[in-house]
Amino acid sequence: NAGVTQTPKFRVLKTGQSMTLLCAQDMNHEYMYWYRQDPGMGLRLIHYSVGEGTTAKGEVPDGYNVSRLKKQNFLLGLESAAPSQTSVYFCASTFRRAGNLDTEAFFGQGTRLTVV
Amino acid sequence: DQQVKQNSPSLSVQEGRISILNCDYTNSMFDYFLWYKKYPAEGPTFLISISSIKDKNEDGRFTVFLNKSAKHLSLHIVPSQPGDSAVYFCAASARDSGYSTLTFGKGTMLLVSP
């Protein structure tokens, strides 16, 4: 059981370049999330999705776009990368149980992105 | 405005002793709290959780205590082991928000020395 898989694991971008980070989960979870982790800042929510075809902004959405065309995949896009987007990005998913809000999140292994 | 606060960036404990990691929150709507453990170069993994209707939850060596009036929770690890050395994140969610997003603290790095 793979759980949550992120692609790629590492990437170096030049300022202004674009890229897409892919997150795939095989647990049939409804909810998916993108977080970034920066030193001394903890995990901050970028965007999230509560189901296929839906997306919503989190705490730090500027400079990012997302898409959830398939239930198992959640894509994070950087249209024009900036050095401030140098970070470790984590994808996560949760399964919402009827009548009980299950907020245990399963995380991917992370993508380390450097923008030079 | 930081809604979940972990005021200790690091904690050092000797093997076999108790580790106590603290977390404070400001949002009174939070009703579910979780602790995650993170090793370097890995994603966070779920450790233990507690609902606001309880004040204690225990799982093996790990116990989480919740003091709602003080908006404070703590994670106790007894006995501590070198393999427990990791960053621990406190997280919270609000049931009434209609979705299960998590708000994380900045983390506490625990070092357990032999």
Side-chain angles (χ1 to χ4, degrees):
Chain A
N1 191 348
V4 179
T5 303
Q6 292 182 229
T7 308
K9 290 184 174 58
F10 303 94
R11 185 73 185 267
V12 177
L13 283 181
K14 293 183 178 179
T15 298
Q17 286 186 317
S18 63
M19 78 163 294
T20 300
L21 282 68
L22 170 64
C23 176
Q25 53 94 4
D26 60 2
M27 297 171 284
N28 201 35
H29 284 176
E30 289 292 335
Y31 293 71
M32 297 187 74
Y33 316 83
W34 276 106
Y35 288 89
R36 60 178 289 173
Q37 185 192 12
D38 302 294
M41 297 297 291
L43 290 157
R44 293 183 293 169
L45 182 65
I46 304 171
H47 285 281
Y48 65 96
S49 168
V50 301
E52 182 178 324
T54 71
T55 62
K57 295 180 179 180
E59 181 186 356
V60 288
D62 294 342
Y64 305 95
N65 57 76
V66 288
S67 63
R68 184 99 180 268
L69 299 180
K70 294 182 179 180
K71 184 177 183 179
Q72 65 268 32
N73 294 337
F74 195 28
L75 278 62
L76 177 71
L78 286 74
E79 293 183 344
S80 180
S84 61
Q85 294 177 303
T86 294
S87 187
V88 181
Y89 292 86
F90 289 100
C91 176
S93 68
T94 58
F95 175 66
R96 186 177 182 180
R97 298 173 184 166
N100 182 23
L101 195 62
D102 177 10
T103 53
E104 174 187 342
F106 293 83
F107 283 83
Q109 78 277 25
T111 296
R112 183 173 294 274
L113 175 66
T114 302
V115 183
V116 298
Chain B
D1 180 28
Q2 196 179 353
Q3 298 186 69
V4 178
K5 302 177 183 179
Q6 293 178 258
N7 293 320
S8 298
S10 62
L11 175 67
S12 292
V13 173
Q14 281 193 318
E15 182 178 7
R17 307 293 289 269
I18 184 171
S19 295
I20 300 177
L21 294 92
N22 294 303
C23 178
D24 297 293
Y25 62 96
T26 58
N27 188 342
S28 58
M29 297 299 292
F30 287 147
D31 56 6
Y32 197 72
F33 305 89
L34 307 90
W35 285 93
Y36 283 82
K37 178 179 178 179
K38 185 185 179 302
Y39 292 117
E42 294 184 10
T45 55
F46 171 74
L47 189 59
I48 192 169
S49 63
I50 188 167
S51 166
S52 61
I53 63 174
K54 297 183 177 181
D55 55 17
K56 177 182 175 181
N57 188 27
E58 191 172 355
D59 184 2
R61 295 186 297 114
F62 303 92
T63 303
V64 56
F65 295 92
L66 175 62
N67 182 335
K68 283 182 293 183
S69 61
K71 293 189 175 67
H72 176 83
L73 64 155
S74 60
L75 174 68
H76 292 210
I77 306 173
V78 184
S80 300
Q81 300 173 354
D84 295 329
S85 297
V87 177
Y88 290 79
F89 289 100
C90 173
S93 69
R95 184 185 303 263
D96 288 343
S97 68
Y99 47 82
S100 56
T101 64
L102 295 171
T103 301
F104 285 86
K106 294 183 178 181
T108 297
M109 180 177 291
L110 174 65
L111 178 61
V112 181
S113 54

